Amino acid sequence: MKTQKCKNCTYYTAYYKQWAACYSRLNNGFCTKHNKHQTQVKTCEDFKSNERKKRVREKILFEALAQSINSINDIAQILKEREVDGE
């Protein structure tokens, strides 16, 4: 079980800063439950674990990955067929 800090809460959304080539996570974010800015280490009585949110997000990402793999395989098949037809 994760500790009950804002960074592990469903209602918390972290802020990010854009650098030249990447993004970095900041120490603060926004709590949608209280509609205010929070630091990631605070706690409150409305804590709700984000484990379910992470599992759903992971499932969606794996489905998108599988779809991408299928698309790449389809493109590879088309290119192979064109190569054979061109010879």
Side-chain angles (χ1 to χ4, degrees), residues 48-77:
K48 183 177 177 185
S49 176
N50 65 359
E51 289 298 321
R52 183 173 181 272
K53 183 177 169 183
K54 282 188 174 185
R55 283 193 308 267
V56 169
R57 184 179 294 148
E58 187 176 89
K59 181 181 175 188
I60 291 170
L61 289 173
F62 277 119
E63 289 172 357
L65 180 61
Q67 184 179 0
S68 297
I69 290 170
N70 288 336
S71 296
I72 290 170
N73 287 336
D74 292 344
I75 292 169
Q77 182 64 35

Side-chain angles (χ1 to χ4, degrees), residues 11-78:
Y11 303 117
Y12 178 80
T13 304
Y15 291 144
Y16 289 84
K17 181 173 183 172
Q18 182 178 4
W19 297 95
C22 64
Y23 289 89
S24 65
R25 187 177 180 157
L26 300 177
N27 298 3
N28 53 10
F30 188 78
C31 177
T32 56
K33 181 74 173 181
H34 296 286
N35 203 24
K36 66 179 184 177
H37 303 286
Q38 290 288 100
T39 61
Q40 66 181 3
V41 294
K42 285 198 173 180
T43 60
C44 73
E45 64 279 349
D46 295 318
F47 178 84
K48 183 177 177 185
S49 176
N50 65 359
E51 289 298 321
R52 183 173 181 272
K53 183 177 169 183
K54 282 188 174 185
R55 283 193 308 267
V56 169
R57 184 179 294 148
E58 187 176 89
K59 181 181 175 188
I60 291 170
L61 289 173
F62 277 119
E63 289 172 357
L65 180 61
Q67 184 179 0
S68 297
I69 290 170
N70 288 336
S71 296
I72 290 170
N73 287 336
D74 292 344
I75 292 169
Q77 182 64 35
I78 291 169

Side-chain angles (χ1 to χ4, degrees), residues 76-87:
Q77 182 64 35
I78 291 169
L79 292 174
K80 285 178 185 176
E81 289 174 2
R82 284 187 181 174
E83 185 178 298
V84 170
D85 290 342
E87 292 182 359

